[in-house]
């Protein structure tokens, strides 16, 4: 189970301020991200520098967090959007997730801009990138899971098994196999899968370094990088779940 404090702060950052204006929403995300950094710093120190540098620490956090990402099933999604078709709901889910991850990139970039001239905070830059990565991953995992649920391709098994399947879908950037049963899900995160997850994490961290640009350039760049990545993930997964381009891999952005 993920550290409760980290999981709660991730939830706060991804929620933002839904009822507020864009400025209020960004400030709410920045506040949660700022609180997440010390919690992640303590966790990283406990794991050790080798685990952090190799991506094992963040990958393990993602694996622990995955079962705690709230996922609505098809019935709940249809009840919340009674006037929309399944495809229209899916498109709305992609737009919402894209907006959220863009907001997280802008918030992280804005936070870096405020603290750019502070040497102690510059030393914390890798943890700040981890905070953005963890929150963006939570949003994208929710999107992956809800698209599968909505389009009648849900994972089966326990909460942990379903979370593992959806996480594997996120790692490999394609839909889960409908033939994969509970036993397959239990074995989904063996050594090879963890290596794939670490590679994906390190690639995304590399792209997220744009949020550390000085002043507000990082906010603009971070928002655009996340927007493009989440949009590509959602749209390509939707096409595959609909049976379009069945053998097509996700585009890497």
């Amino acid at each position: 189970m993920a550290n409760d404090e980290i999981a709660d702060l991730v939830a706060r950052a991804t929620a933002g301020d839904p009822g507020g204006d864009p400025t209020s929403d960004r400030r709410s995300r920045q506040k949660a991200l700022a609180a997440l950094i010390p919690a992640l710093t303590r966790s990283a120190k406990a794991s050790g520098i080798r685990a952090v540098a190799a991506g094992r620490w963040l990958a393990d956090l993602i694996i622990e967090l995955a079962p705690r990402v709230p996922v609505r099933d098809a019935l709940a999604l249809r009840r919340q959007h009674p006037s929309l078709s399944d495809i229209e709901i899916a498109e709305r889910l992609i737009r919402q997730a894209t907006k959220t991850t863009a907001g997280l990139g802008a918030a992280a970039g804005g936070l870096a801009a405020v603290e750019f001239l502070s040497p102690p905070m510059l030393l914390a830059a890798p943890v700040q990138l981890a905070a953005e990565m963890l929150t963006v991953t939570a949003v994208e995992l929710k999107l992956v899971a809800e698209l599968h649920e909505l389009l009648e391709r849900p994972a089966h098994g326990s909460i942990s098994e379903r979370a593992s399947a959806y996480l594997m879908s996120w790692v490999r950037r394609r839909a889960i196999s409908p033939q994969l049963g509970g036993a397959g899900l239990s074995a989904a995160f063996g050594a090879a899968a963890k290596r794939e997850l670490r590679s994906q994490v390190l690639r995304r961290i590399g792209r997220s370094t744009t949020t550390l640009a000085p002043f507000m350039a990082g906010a603009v760049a971070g928002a655009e990088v996340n927007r493009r990545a989440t949009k590509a993930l959602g749209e390509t997964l939707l096409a595959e779940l609909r049976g379009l381009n069945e053998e097509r891999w996700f585009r890497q952005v």
Side-chain angles (χ1 to χ4, degrees):
M1 190 68 71
N3 178 280
D4 287 342
E5 181 185 13
I6 290 175
D8 289 345
L9 289 169
V10 167
R12 280 174 49 192
T14 56
D17 183 9
D21 58 27
T23 300
S24 175
D25 182 70
R26 185 175 64 252
R27 287 175 178 168
S28 176
R29 296 188 196 282
Q30 284 178 341
K31 185 176 180 180
L33 287 171
L36 183 56
I37 289 172
L40 288 176
T41 299
R42 291 190 294 271
S43 174
K45 286 180 178 178
S47 294
I49 190 169
R50 288 186 179 180
V52 173
R56 291 196 305 271
W57 162 67
L58 189 52
D60 286 345
L61 274 181
I62 290 172
I63 291 171
E64 292 177 9
L65 181 67
R68 298 188 62 164
V69 173
V71 176
R72 293 166 292 184
D73 62 16
L75 183 59
L77 288 165
R78 288 166 186 152
R79 283 177 174 170
Q80 289 178 8
H81 305 90
S83 62
L84 302 181
S85 69
D86 285 355
I87 300 304
E88 289 171 332
I89 296 172
E91 290 170 344
R92 177 170 290 190
L93 293 177
I94 294 169
R95 288 195 300 271
Q96 291 172 339
T98 299
K99 180 179 178 181
T100 299
T101 59
L104 287 165
L111 187 64
V114 170
E115 297 163 340
F116 183 72
L117 298 179
S118 172
M121 289 311 299
L122 287 177
L123 294 175
V127 181
Q128 181 170 313
L129 291 177
E132 182 189 357
M133 175 69 193
L134 198 58
T135 53
V136 167
T137 300
V139 174
E140 292 186 347
L141 280 176
K142 182 179 179 67
L143 174 63
V144 167
E146 292 187 345
L147 288 177
H148 277 84
E149 296 283 337
L150 180 64
L151 297 175
E152 307 296 345
R153 290 273 295 274
H156 302 290
S158 66
I159 292 175
S160 178
E161 288 171 337
R162 295 197 301 272
S164 293
Y166 292 136
L167 181 53
M168 204 67 243
S169 173
W170 179 85
V171 169
R172 292 181 172 168
R173 324 311 266 180
R174 58 181 318 173
I176 62 174
S177 169
Q179 288 79 34
L180 191 62
L185 300 184
S186 297
F189 265 87
K194 287 183 178 180
R195 284 196 296 271
E196 290 184 67
L197 174 58
R198 289 197 297 271
S199 295
Q200 185 65 245
V201 165
L202 292 173
R203 282 196 298 270
R204 291 293 292 266
I205 284 285
R207 289 198 293 270
S208 295
T209 55
T210 55
T211 62
L212 298 179
F215 308 109
M216 291 305 292
V220 175
E224 180 61 15
V225 166
N226 288 347
R227 184 193 69 78
R228 291 177 61 193
T230 304
K231 187 171 185 288
L233 172 69
E235 289 183 347
T236 313
L237 179 56
L238 175 59
E240 185 175 350
L241 288 169
R242 293 177 65 189
L244 306 175
N245 300 322
E246 190 68 26
E247 297 302 320
R248 178 184 174 191
W249 285 87
F250 284 105
R251 288 181 294 140
Q252 296 294 317
V253 177

